């Protein structure tokens, strides 16, 4: 989302009243060892978030739930590719699913042949690479003017178009078109998630509760420590409610789809109709955000800059701040690895699930409903637990989910290497996976987003959420490419799980032991205040400039 320069009067009011004699990480303490808590600079000219605006924000995510571009589209693509492929043991012209088939399935690829599972992973890897290009090139440009507003609208319309075009995918010989439409939809869907998430820190800073709380703090009615906790809770509230709405939309969409899948289960085009129906629901719920979103434009693009180049410059500038924002960058790097492991694990399990259920949209809808119901319940439950006991975002995100469930999923898949009795070989295991994923992974995405908001310098939301987008969505260039190579060499989908287990374990340990959210948040606020003039000048304040200025004064 866009940012605005902060009026000087607002910054003066925001500055903590304590004066230092000691400095640590740029944060000072007075003689009584009381730690000053800087608060996020917010322009008082920005409109307060209305109820209608906030609900339209939630409804967008209600429709942008991933059922179509992240679920059905992949199943349709894999189904057409499998129908067009052949069993490498029996030779070209054979069926991959006929009696006596080996269980392997390949397609002509680059002068040779490639496993269908590998082709699906290649599509994912290339998609994530294109997402990387999008986030690095135009991600930070969304901080200027109204570019961010139109960027989300454009990529949303592209995703809608790709989903509606899926109605044409009716025969195996169109598997190449199915791959292209899947990639376009998946790329634009991933981009909508990142640029949607970048909006929420600004919304959280401008709710009536957040603004009232800020005014009480400035008048000295609320202690600094209480303000910091309550302000963090407000971010978690919006993040959790939006995630809950995504899960409610997930349930509602899947339930609606049963009205097509059950009576038309033998119809040859029922899968195409379902994707169009799912997309129509997103259009109906998502359009209101673009109507009711209040204007909060950022500053004009600095003189001499261009929307296609400013992103690369800002990312380079952001990376150079790693010493000043150590916890922000430790989290970004660790989450890069964790998201790679999570996303690729989900894709690999989906590939195994599609094979097990013969690409049935109906069975996948039942499994999706199990995940959606548990996701909604767990998101509300975890938010209640955090709010009641005032548990920090890091403990909610890291201990409950990252260190336990995230590691257990690929570990369970590893068992399938040595036995077919366990390890995603049985129907009940996929039911269990979807329930466990819903119970623990859905709240994790909400808390990880809030954790990033805590560590993001306020006013630089798209710059750092663009990096978060690289970590979250575009990180998965490594996993799919490694896993598809393993599957090509071994002919065994399950041989990819050990790599994913190691990746998730390493990342989880770094986040738990290497990220101090409280210190990272304060570093981020101080950095943002120090560099608030960047919007007009395009230059960040260096330590040397600060020292020179102090000597001059």
């Amino acid at each position: 989302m866009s940012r605005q320069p902060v009026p000087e009067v607002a910054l003066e009011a925001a500055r903590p009243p304590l004066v230092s004699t000691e400095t640590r990480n740029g944060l000072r303490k007075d003689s009584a060892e009381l730690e000053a808590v800087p608060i996020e600079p917010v322009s008082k000219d920005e409109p307060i978030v209305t109820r209608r605006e906030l609900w339209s924000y939630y409804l967008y995510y209600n429709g942008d739930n991933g059922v179509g571009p992240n679920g059905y589209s992949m199943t349709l693509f894999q189904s057409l590719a499998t129908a067009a492929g052949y069993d490498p043991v029996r030779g070209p012209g054979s069926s991959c699913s006929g009696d006596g088939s080996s269980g392997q399935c390949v397609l002509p690829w680059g002068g040779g042949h490639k496993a269908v599972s590998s082709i699906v992973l290649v599509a994912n890897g290339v998609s994530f690479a294109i997402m990387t290009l999008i986030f690095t090139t135009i991600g930070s440009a969304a901080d200027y003017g109204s570019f961010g507003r139109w960027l989300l609208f454009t990529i949303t319309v592209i995703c809608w178009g790709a989903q509606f075009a899926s109605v044409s995918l009716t025969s195996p010989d169109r598997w190449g078109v199915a791959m292209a439409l899947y990639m376009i939809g998946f790329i634009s869907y991933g981009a909508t998630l990142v640029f949607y998430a970048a909006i929420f820190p600004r919304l959280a800073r401008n709710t009536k509760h957040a603004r009232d709380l800020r005014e009480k703090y400035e008048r000295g009615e609320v202690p600094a420590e209480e303000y910091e906790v309550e302000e963090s809770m407000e971010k978690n509230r919006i993040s959790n409610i939006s995630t809950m709405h995504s899960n409610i939309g997930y349930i509602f969409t899947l339930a609606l789809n049963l009205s097509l899948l059950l009576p038309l289960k033998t119809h040859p085009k029922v899968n195409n109709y379902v994707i169009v129906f799912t997309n129509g629901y997103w259009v109906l719920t998502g359009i209101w955000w673009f109507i009711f979103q209040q204007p909060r434009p950022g500053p004009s693009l600095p003189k001499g800059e261009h929307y296609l180049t400013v992103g690369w410059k800002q990312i380079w500038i952001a990376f150079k701040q790693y010493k000043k924002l150590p916890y922000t960058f430790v989290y970004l790097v660790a989450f890069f690895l964790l998201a790679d492991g999570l996303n690729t694990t989900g894709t690999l399990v989906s590939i195994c699930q599609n094979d097990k259920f013969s690409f049935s949209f109906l069975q996948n809808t039942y499994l999706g409903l199990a995940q959606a119901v548990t996701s909604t319940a767990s998101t509300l439950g975890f938010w209640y637990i955090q709010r009641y006991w005032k548990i920090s975002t890091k403990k909610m995100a890291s201990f409950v989910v990252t260190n336990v469930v995230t590691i257990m999923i690929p570990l369970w898949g590893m068992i399938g290497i040595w036995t077919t009795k366990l390890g995603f070989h049985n129907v009940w295991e996929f039911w269990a996976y979807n329930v466990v994923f819903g119970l623990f992974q859905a709240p994790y995405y909400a808390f990880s987003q809030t954790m990033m908001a805590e560590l993001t310098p306020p006013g630089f939301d798209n710059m750092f959420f663009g990096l978060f987008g690289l970590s979250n969505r575009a990180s998965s260039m490594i996993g799919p490419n490694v896993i598809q190579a393993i599957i090509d060499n071994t002919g065994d989908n399950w041989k990819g799980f050990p790599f994913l287990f190691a990746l998730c374990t390493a990342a989880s340990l770094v986040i738990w032991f290497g990220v101090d959210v409280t210190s990272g948040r304060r570093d981020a606020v101080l950095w943002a205040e120090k560099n608030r003039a960047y919007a007009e000048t395009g230059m960040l304040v260096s330590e040397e400039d600060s020292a020179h200025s102090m000597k001059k004064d």
Side-chain angles (χ1 to χ4, degrees):
M1 187 57 189
S2 56
R3 74 166 177 271
Q4 288 181 297
V6 184
E8 187 64 25
V9 64
L11 288 167
E12 288 297 334
R15 290 193 180 103
L18 302 179
V19 183
S20 76
T21 56
E22 208 175 322
T23 301
R24 182 181 63 82
N25 290 333
L27 188 63
R28 297 179 168 185
K29 297 181 181 180
D30 68 353
S31 57
E33 295 298 319
L34 294 174
E35 195 166 30
V37 180
I39 66 174
E40 298 185 357
V42 177
S43 171
K44 293 182 178 179
D45 294 331
E46 292 183 0
I48 293 177
V49 177
T50 65
R51 183 178 181 84
R52 184 169 62 180
E53 181 183 23
L54 192 57
W55 270 96
S56 67
Y57 181 75
Y58 293 150
L59 281 174
Y60 179 91
Y61 206 16
N62 186 290
D64 191 14
N65 50 57
V67 171
N70 198 37
Y72 287 143
S73 290
M74 177 180 161
T75 301
L76 182 59
F77 160 40
Q78 188 180 348
S79 173
L80 293 177
T82 301
Y86 63 90
D87 187 335
V89 176
R90 303 169 70 183
S94 62
S95 172
C96 291
S97 56
D99 293 336
S101 61
S102 67
Q104 300 181 53
C105 189
V106 299
L107 277 165
W109 186 271
H113 63 264
K114 199 173 192 65
V116 169
S117 297
S118 294
I119 291 173
V120 173
L121 287 165
V122 166
N124 275 33
V126 173
S127 296
F128 285 121
I130 295 173
M131 283 187 218
T132 302
L133 184 63
I134 291 172
F135 300 146
T136 51
T137 303
I138 59 177
S140 295
D143 283 326
Y144 295 99
S146 299
F147 185 73
R149 182 174 189 162
W150 292 107
L151 178 60
L152 180 60
F153 176 75
T154 301
I155 58 178
T156 299
V157 170
I158 290 172
C159 192
W160 288 346
Q163 290 291 283
F164 281 133
S166 296
V167 74
S168 66
L169 305 175
T170 56
S171 59
D173 63 324
R174 295 184 182 177
W175 73 267
V177 179
M179 180 178 181
L181 288 176
Y182 165 68
M183 290 173 65
I184 293 171
F186 187 60
I187 291 164
S188 52
Y189 164 70
T192 64
L193 295 183
V194 171
F195 294 118
Y196 171 87
I199 296 169
F200 115 85
R202 183 172 293 274
L203 284 181
R205 292 196 293 269
N206 284 288
T207 63
K208 190 176 186 307
H209 175 69
R211 294 282 280 269
D212 289 345
L213 186 66
R214 178 191 180 86
E215 290 175 3
K216 289 180 181 179
Y217 172 79
E218 291 172 355
R219 292 194 300 265
E221 298 174 10
V222 176
E225 292 78 9
E226 182 181 339
Y227 170 81
E228 191 174 38
V229 170
E230 291 299 325
E231 196 268 346
S232 177
M233 288 293 122
E234 181 70 353
K235 288 179 180 175
N236 275 292
R237 181 181 73 87
I238 292 177
S239 182
N240 277 280
I241 291 176
S242 66
T243 301
M244 179 195 70
H245 272 281
S246 178
N247 291 325
I248 290 173
Y250 197 59
I251 295 173
F252 196 66
T253 303
L254 291 170
L256 280 176
N257 287 337
L258 291 177
S259 66
L260 289 177
L261 288 166
L262 290 174
L264 300 177
K265 60 183 178 181
T266 59
H267 195 286
K269 294 185 179 180
V270 62
N271 293 346
N272 308 84
Y273 296 157
V274 166
I275 293 178
V276 170
F277 190 47
T278 299
N279 196 53
Y281 177 80
W282 181 12
V283 174
L284 184 63
T285 57
I287 195 66
W288 304 108
W289 170 246
F290 303 109
I291 296 173
F292 294 128
Q293 179 185 9
Q294 295 190 85
R296 296 184 183 90
S300 301
L301 203 64
K303 186 175 287 188
E305 297 292 352
H306 191 277
Y307 282 112
L308 294 179
T309 58
V310 69
W312 290 96
K313 291 183 180 180
Q314 286 203 349
I315 287 173
W316 174 243
I317 288 168
F319 273 125
K320 290 197 297 184
Q321 306 308 307
Y322 73 94
K323 290 184 179 179
K324 301 169 189 175
L325 301 168
Y327 297 115
T328 301
F329 281 91
V330 168
Y331 180 66
L332 282 169
V333 171
F335 194 74
F336 179 95
L337 299 175
L338 181 62
D340 195 352
L342 277 171
N343 293 333
T344 310
T345 297
T347 301
L348 188 55
V349 173
S350 294
I351 289 171
C352 297
Q353 178 176 299
N354 285 333
D355 283 335
K356 184 67 179 179
F357 292 98
S358 302
F359 314 103
S360 170
F361 270 40
L362 183 59
Q363 290 297 325
N364 281 337
T365 299
Y366 288 142
L367 291 166
L369 278 169
Q371 183 182 130
V373 171
T374 52
S375 294
T376 305
S378 65
T379 300
L380 289 171
F382 276 92
W383 166 231
Y384 176 80
I385 290 169
Q386 184 189 33
R387 183 177 56 180
Y388 187 83
W389 279 287
K390 304 291 184 183
I391 302 173
S392 70
T393 300
K394 177 185 174 181
K395 288 181 180 177
M396 293 299 294
S398 301
F399 180 75
V400 176
V401 182
T402 306
N403 286 352
V404 182
V405 179
T406 301
I407 296 172
M408 290 298 296
I409 293 174
L411 179 62
W412 187 267
M414 285 173 57
I415 300 173
I417 297 174
W418 301 288
T419 177
T420 57
K421 293 182 179 180
L422 293 174
F424 298 122
H425 288 288
N426 306 290
V427 169
W428 69 266
E429 290 178 291
F430 293 104
W431 280 99
Y433 162 76
N434 280 278
V435 170
V436 169
F437 189 96
L439 286 174
F440 297 102
Q441 292 296 298
Y444 168 74
Y445 283 111
F447 287 119
S448 65
Q449 175 178 286
T450 306
M451 196 164 168
M452 186 63 219
E454 296 277 5
L455 297 169
T456 294
F460 293 79
D461 301 319
N462 274 284
M463 177 190 287
F464 284 88
F465 264 85
L467 295 177
F468 185 59
L470 296 180
S471 295
N472 187 10
R473 305 302 305 176
S475 61
S476 298
M477 295 182 293
I478 301 172
N481 288 310
V482 172
I483 302 305
Q484 67 89 15
I486 293 173
I487 292 174
D488 264 351
N489 289 331
T490 64
D492 187 345
N493 292 344
W494 283 261
K495 292 290 179 67
F497 283 113
F499 173 79
L500 297 172
F501 170 70
L503 202 61
C504 291
T505 301
S508 298
L509 293 174
V510 172
I511 290 175
W512 180 245
F513 294 107
V515 180
D516 184 332
V517 176
T518 302
S519 296
R521 178 185 183 277
R522 296 174 183 179
D523 289 344
V525 174
L526 287 169
W527 184 90
E529 182 178 343
K530 179 179 177 182
N531 293 288
R532 64 186 181 276
Y534 175 76
E536 291 86 12
T537 64
M539 297 176 62
L540 294 176
V541 178
S542 66
E543 296 293 341
E544 292 77 8
D545 291 339
S546 296
H548 178 71
S549 177
M550 291 176 65
K551 288 179 182 179
K552 189 175 180 180
D553 292 340

